[in-house]
Amino acid sequence: MRSKDKISYFYDGDVGSVYFGPNHPMKPHRLCMTHHLVLAYDLHKKMEIYRPHKAYPVELAQFHSADYVEFLHRITPDTQHLFANELAKYNLGEDCPVFENLFEFCQIYAGGTIDAARRLNNQLCDIAINWAGGLHHAKKCEASGFCYINDLVLGILELLKYHARVLYIDIDVHHGDGVEEAFYFTDRVMTVSFHKYGDMFFPGTGDVKDIGEREGKFYAINVPLKDGIDDTSFTRLFKTIISKVVEMYQPGAIVLQCGADSLAGDRLGCFNLSIDGHAECVRVVKKFNLPLLVTGGGGYTKENVARCWTFETGVLLDTQLANEIPENEYIKYFAPECLLNIPNGHIENLNSKSYLSTIKMQVLENLRCIQHAPGVQMQEVPPDFYIPDFDEDEQNPDERMDQHTQDKQIQRDDEYYDGDNDNDHNTDM
């Protein structure tokens, strides 16, 4: 047992000022709310706070196709009318709109997950947190489900440079289809997703029968659930399956996607989980004492997203938080009670004991097909950074210090100002 976990936390205020559009459920503003709550509870004093580097196009292309990355880089709201064919090809539109600073948004949240993985690889921390990450639906050549770049796949690819096996766990209400698909044919990543399945619920994948193929057969695990699952059923199933997975698979590192749309009362969700029930999954995974990368994900009732991820930051820090939310920039969002915990939901639980038992038996049966943790021939570790060459003559001499060097510098405590200049000041999103 480690005496005290060293935790790296990644945040860039620019992600929270991005706006998907007036009727879009995805509100990156929830990240500013989360961060201010983390500050209000003084949790930043117990972690190392970093501003992530903006991932280079060539880093994003380690998973995504170069033409897709290039298109995301180029497209703007003003020019999109010229690219109808490409918009259709790359699935940009209503769910995945083109908005101001789209590519920079992708660079920041992906950069945070990549940086988190690198710090874990270099044993500079035990746990790394990037609440801006977790965009698990993005595919190699297209956007999907509000996700453009799949930071989780990029983070896992980074971890695979140092670890023979990586375990990916997803507790978002939606199936982690983009991550599963990326690693469907390999035994070096085991993906485990707990999600709502059926009734045409997005994305429509994640049946218990989907288990991976070729070398990846039995290394994809899906736990399809019905509406209304509660804390007791969910956490019991989670503990049983995940403890068996870790025992059988013996991962070197774990990536945990904490989508908060599985909470009760989410605008797009249909589960009854309380924040404490959701956080119990984080407690369970933390106890394995393996290098752990934690990200956000879905979550569309933004005050509950902020509550959840702040509470889980506390769990990762072994810090109990007062239920009364301290004064902060966004306190009016948590009114009138201004409490951290939320009540359980009241959706009818359609997950009968026999249904959950059947799912559990099928998953454990599939796990028995893994004879032992797969070995891997380790090649030479590739370099951490694939940074393109720049033509110095074209650069502004005042910006000669490259962005990566600047971004690696740790934020000072006094950099989180609040006042008229705060970019989080406009709270009407």
Side-chain angles (χ1 to χ4, degrees), residues 18-26 68 72 75-77 80 87 90-103 105-106 143-148:
V18 164
Y19 191 42
F20 274 59
N23 301 312
H24 201 288
M26 176 62 104
Y68 172 54
L72 285 179
I75 193 75
T76 67
Q80 62 176 326
L87 289 173
Y90 299 122
N91 198 31
L92 296 175
E94 200 174 339
D95 270 3
C96 301
V98 175
F99 51 79
E100 216 54 66
N101 301 319
L102 165 61
F103 191 67
F105 172 67
C106 295
S144 175
F146 318 158
C147 306
Y148 301 83

Side-chain angles (χ1 to χ4, degrees), residues 68-79:
Y68 172 54
V69 172
E70 214 275 314
F71 184 71
L72 285 179
H73 199 173
R74 201 173 69 231
I75 193 75
T76 67
D78 296 335
T79 61

